[in-house]
Amino acid sequence: MIDFHELNNDQRREKVNSEQRFSALQQAQQKAKTFRGSLVWHTVGDVEHLMRSYYDSSGARRQKVEGRRSAETEKQKADWEAARETARETLTARQKQMERQSAINRVLRLGRVPFLTARIIRALDNAGLLGAGIRIAGTNAIYAYEAAAGVFVDPGITTTEDIDLLMDARQSLRIVADDQVEDGTLINLLRKVDKSFERSQSAFRAVNRDGYLVDLIKPVARPAWKKDRDAVGKSDDELVAAGIEGLAWLENAPPFESIAIDEKGGPLRMVAPDPRFFAAHKLWVSQRADREPIKRRRDFAQAEAVAQLTATYFQHLSFDATTMRALPKAVFEAAKLMFAR
């Protein structure tokens, strides 16, 4: 049996506070975004019109005439500006509240997700990609599971200097363009986080000056000649997802969402594959003959930890043939023994 370090009462209380305040912050951020643009008076000839500048769903800036200057349009402009100011004040207040909460989280040692990893995940979330075509796979997914369970797993199986981004090749991905994204490409999104990120010789991988790796992966196409989506954007140095055997099980798995805490105390939303599928896939990987022995042992340790965590803390997630029918029978039978233990 694996020993999990459960949060103490103080940590549980502040974890709940973090989630609530993070949700309030997200609401304030969304509200503030609705006021992007402006309402200004624009003169054409001798007539003043109220002109609205805004951003459409693709991120393109648009303009619209609201009407000639009148008591009604003057009130419309005044009401809009007052609402925008209120939204800004609310956002500022909640950002300060979150700064205080992050300090508390650091004192209580709640932070788990490496800071650079957290910044990348937040960038994906802000761009509208997280959970909408890209999920966190590999070792970093464990942070999502332990955060939801309210436990810490052995740091030895979570320590990593990379992140795997699982692309759902079945979906059409499109970044909701904003000021944080340039040209709608994943490589440029990463450069907003750390300007030293460059695509490596392996087209699916980006690496920064410190050697931190970001891999874009997807399931192997079935049949092999089938053409599916393999990139977010179309720039010359954009990342192109690598097809990897077995990832179709994770692609078909239900999404699992939770709020984790980064090592500086800040909450972040994480979306990973269902932990049952994660554990079964890791077990299968650990048994592959072409896998390096040291990696196989780590894969097995991760599979056992997530399986036991799921069976212990997520009792609503049953491991049975019906719910796990996306797995091949041999993979299901092997993993079932692990969940039973």
Side-chain angles (χ1 to χ4, degrees):
M1 295 293 289
I2 298 171
D3 290 329
F4 297 109
H5 179 76
E6 296 195 355
L7 303 186
N8 61 38
N9 289 333
D10 288 338
Q11 290 173 321
R12 291 192 191 101
R13 181 189 65 244
E14 296 308 328
K15 177 65 164 57
V16 172
N17 286 341
S18 295
E19 293 177 0
Q20 294 174 342
R21 288 166 180 167
F22 181 62
S23 177
L25 174 61
Q26 287 183 308
Q27 292 173 14
Q29 290 170 332
Q30 290 300 319
K31 184 66 175 179
K33 278 186 177 182
T34 65
F35 290 98
R36 292 181 64 198
S38 61
L39 274 177
V40 297
W41 298 114
H42 180 67
T43 303
V44 178
D46 296 329
V47 180
E48 278 190 303
H49 295 83
L50 184 60
M51 181 75 71
R52 179 186 296 275
S53 295
Y54 65 99
Y55 295 86
D56 65 17
S57 59
S58 69
R61 188 179 179 88
R62 306 291 186 189
Q63 289 187 322
K64 175 185 176 183
V65 175
E66 295 290 333
R68 291 191 176 192
R69 187 160 194 165
S70 64
E72 181 180 353
T73 53
E74 286 180 352
K75 182 178 184 303
Q76 179 183 355
K77 185 175 186 297
D79 290 346
W80 185 86
E81 290 175 343
R84 180 180 61 179
E85 184 60 26
T86 298
R88 287 175 173 173
E89 291 174 353
T90 300
L91 177 58
T92 298
R94 290 182 179 171
Q95 286 172 332
K96 291 180 178 178
Q97 184 184 56
M98 187 52 66
E99 289 174 4
R100 293 192 295 270
Q101 183 65 54
S102 296
I104 294 172
N105 293 343
R106 289 195 298 272
V107 171
L108 293 176
R109 300 182 182 276
L110 278 171
R112 294 284 284 175
V113 185
F115 189 57
L116 179 56
T117 301
R119 291 183 64 202
I120 291 171
I121 294 172
R122 289 191 183 100
L124 290 169
D125 200 6
N126 292 337
L129 282 174
L130 185 64
I134 287 183
R135 300 181 193 175
I136 309 305
T139 299
N140 287 288
I142 299 175
Y143 293 123
Y145 309 141
E146 66 169 24
V151 300
F152 295 149
V153 304
D154 180 1
I157 66 171
T158 58
T159 302
T160 182
E161 291 296 326
D162 62 2
I163 184 171
D164 293 333
L165 306 180
L166 174 62
M167 169 183 280
D168 189 337
R170 303 167 302 179
Q171 299 189 28
S172 175
L173 299 185
R174 176 179 59 80
I175 289 182
V176 180
D178 58 23
D179 293 339
Q180 298 178 347
V181 182
E182 181 180 316
D183 300 332
T185 70
L186 183 56
I187 188 65
N188 281 327
L189 184 148
L190 293 173
R191 287 169 180 156
K192 293 291 183 179
V193 174
D194 181 339
K195 63 183 180 182
S196 71
F197 269 115
E198 296 291 343
R199 190 176 81 168
S200 71
Q201 292 183 343
S202 301
F204 65 89
R205 172 172 291 170
V207 58
N208 74 353
R209 66 167 66 90
D210 298 318
Y212 187 94
L213 305 177
V214 179
D215 288 351
L216 185 64
I217 56 178
K218 67 171 186 174
V220 172
R222 291 286 188 270
W225 48 261
K226 181 182 177 182
K227 180 64 176 176
D228 53 20
R229 191 173 184 89
D230 59 7
V232 174
K234 297 181 179 180
S235 69
D236 293 338
D237 60 348
E238 176 63 314
L239 300 187
V240 179
I244 297 178
E245 194 69 37
L247 290 184
W249 314 330
L250 298 185
E251 182 183 61
N252 291 315
F256 184 92
E257 182 173 335
S258 68
I259 304 300
I261 308 292
D262 71 34
E263 60 187 5
K264 292 192 176 182
L268 68 151
R269 188 174 77 102
M270 297 192 71
V271 182
D274 184 295
R276 296 167 294 180
F277 287 83
F278 177 94
H281 177 261
K282 278 290 183 178
L283 178 63
W284 174 79
V285 171
S286 74
Q287 296 170 339
R288 288 178 62 94
D290 59 351
R291 186 75 163 164
E292 297 174 36
I294 192 170
K295 290 184 178 181
R296 289 207 306 267
R297 291 193 291 272
R298 180 177 167 89
D299 293 329
F300 183 75
Q302 291 179 340
E304 280 214 314
V306 173
Q308 184 173 320
L309 183 150
T310 303
T312 305
Y313 298 99
F314 305 144
Q315 296 180 6
H316 63 290
L317 298 179
S318 59
F319 195 88
D320 56 64
T322 300
T323 56
M324 306 303 295
R325 59 183 177 273
L327 294 176
K329 184 176 181 180
V331 175
F332 169 76
E333 293 295 338
K336 184 170 67 172
L337 297 175
M338 184 173 58
F339 276 83
R341 289 199 299 272

